[in-house]
Amino acid sequence: MMLIHSTNEFSAWRKSVANQTVAFVPTMGALHSGHHSLIAHAAQQCDLVVVSIFVNALQFGDVNDYDNYPRDEQSDYLASITAGANVVFAPHQQELFPADFDRYLTPSSIANEYEGRQRPGHFAGVVTVVHRLFDIVQPDIAIFGAKDYQQVAVIRAMSDDLHPTIRIVLLETVRDTDGLALSSRNARLSVASRLQAQVIPRALQAIATLHAQGETRSHMLKSEGLKILGLVPSIHVEYLEIVQQDTLNTVAEARNAVVLFAGVLDGVRLIDNLLLQ
Ligand code: PAF
């Protein structure tokens, strides 16, 4: 079990285990049970598990958001090791991205809508850091949670291009008993808002149920979801869309589709999604 900060030290370790398979779970820390289950799954897939902890300034639109992002390296390290990690890589900001860094990758067009539209520049920051981490960690597989569905689609497109040997694994969103996806943002809700937010998974589930009953017309599925979300007028819906799972293009008929949701409740921006199988 090791906590490594320096890129050179990490690369030396990686060389020393060159003949073993490595599963990689990239994170920005603030680990919760959703991350723990990604790490536990990683440990079943490969000989070794690397977890990275790096709060990536490049993907934050707002400097205050970046400054206030929760950081507790020691507790994240312990949580990672307990969940099954062998090495936690927490690189120094300067080493990964020196102050004059400006070589951002351009994400694929999958990044254009939804989160990409709401958060300009966000996905360029995400693919730039993940590409850099993939170069250093050289994993066999990389594991992500489905909670950030569009993020994983954007990373997969980058990885297919630049790291074709790395297998991207998407694991189902881990939910709390009230149905809300586990996330550092959901944790910011007050008790009262949290109760109201439960309408989000209910709306997604209602769409999935209708779909399972044979309704495939996207506009019908979408209006069912909006009807349920409308029960809590304090939720400001940014988008609720039925899109194709790979391209994230909107579809008239929901086959191999996923429902994407984003909204704001009590000043907290929430996203969620559900696959329509
Ligand atoms: O989902 C996250 O925590 C981050 O966006 C990621 C993938 C670690 C890149 O900084």
Side-chain angles (χ1 to χ4, degrees):
M1 321 304 161
M2 270 186 292
L3 174 61
I4 300 181
H5 290 107
S6 124
T7 306
N8 284 344
E9 198 188 323
F10 184 89
S11 296
W13 171 79
R14 185 66 186 94
K15 255 191 202 145
S16 75
V17 294
N19 54 353
Q20 302 198 55
T21 56
V22 169
F24 179 39
V25 182
T27 82
M28 295 207 300
L31 303 188
H32 50 65
S33 321
H35 295 108
H36 305 166
S37 73
L38 299 183
I39 299 168
H41 181 83
Q44 292 165 4
Q45 302 299 307
C46 286
D47 301 325
L48 296 166
V49 176
V50 173
V51 172
S52 66
I53 297 175
F54 182 72
V55 184
N56 174 31
L58 271 50
Q59 69 189 73
F60 284 81
D62 179 349
V63 181
N64 284 337
D65 243 12
Y66 171 71
D67 288 342
N68 295 329
Y69 199 84
R71 292 164 171 88
D72 186 347
E73 189 178 281
Q74 196 53 30
S75 114
D76 286 336
Y77 169 71
L78 289 175
S80 303
I81 296 299
T82 308
N86 300 90
V87 169
V88 173
F89 177 45
H92 299 298
Q93 171 73 35
Q94 278 306 309
E95 242 192 299
L96 228 49
F97 299 121
D100 58 352
F101 179 87
D102 62 0
R103 298 181 308 280
Y104 282 73
L105 283 186
T106 302
S108 88
S109 58
I110 295 172
N112 291 350
E113 296 301 321
Y114 317 114
E115 290 310 287
R117 189 170 288 282
Q118 301 291 337
R119 305 171 68 186
H122 170 69
F123 284 127
V126 170
V127 290
T128 301
V129 75
V130 174
H131 167 56
R132 182 93 174 87
L133 290 167
F134 279 5
D135 265 347
I136 299 165
V137 176
Q138 298 180 19
D140 295 277
I141 69 175
I143 302 187
F144 298 88
K147 156 88 180 17
D148 296 301
Y149 189 89
Q150 186 180 14
Q151 165 171 280
V152 186
V154 172
I155 290 173
R156 193 190 291 281
M158 177 281 291
S159 186
D160 286 352
D161 252 9
L162 302 176
H163 303 274
T165 60
I166 300 176
R167 187 161 60 86
I168 304 294
V169 176
L170 178 73
L171 289 192
E172 213 177 293
T173 302
V174 178
R175 294 183 182 277
D176 222 322
T177 45
D178 61 6
L180 278 194
L182 290 183
S183 92
S184 44
R185 279 174 192 273
N186 289 353
R188 288 188 212 162
L189 290 168
S190 66
V191 176
S193 306
R194 200 177 162 98
L195 272 173
Q196 296 186 315
Q198 289 170 19
V199 78
I200 299 166
R202 268 180 52 210
L204 297 183
Q205 200 47 61
I207 293 175
T209 304
L210 193 59
H211 183 258
Q213 287 164 355
E215 178 59 82
T216 56
R217 291 168 297 173
S218 292
H219 70 98
M220 294 301 287
L221 295 166
K222 191 171 157 176
S223 74
E224 175 71 6
L226 289 174
K227 186 179 80 191
I228 293 175
L229 288 165
L231 298 173
V232 179
S234 48
I235 292 188
H236 165 67
V237 178
E238 279 180 359
Y239 58 78
L240 177 78
E241 290 298 344
I242 318 280
V243 303
Q244 213 272 330
Q245 284 176 15
D246 296 335
T247 60
L248 269 59
N249 290 332
T250 49
V251 281
E253 285 290 315
R255 297 187 210 290
N256 295 324
V258 55
V259 192
L260 300 180
F261 164 86
V264 180
L265 173 65
D266 199 12
V268 183
R269 189 161 183 277
L270 305 169
I271 63 170
D272 204 344
N273 66 77
L274 201 63
L275 290 183
L276 300 178
Q277 301 295 6

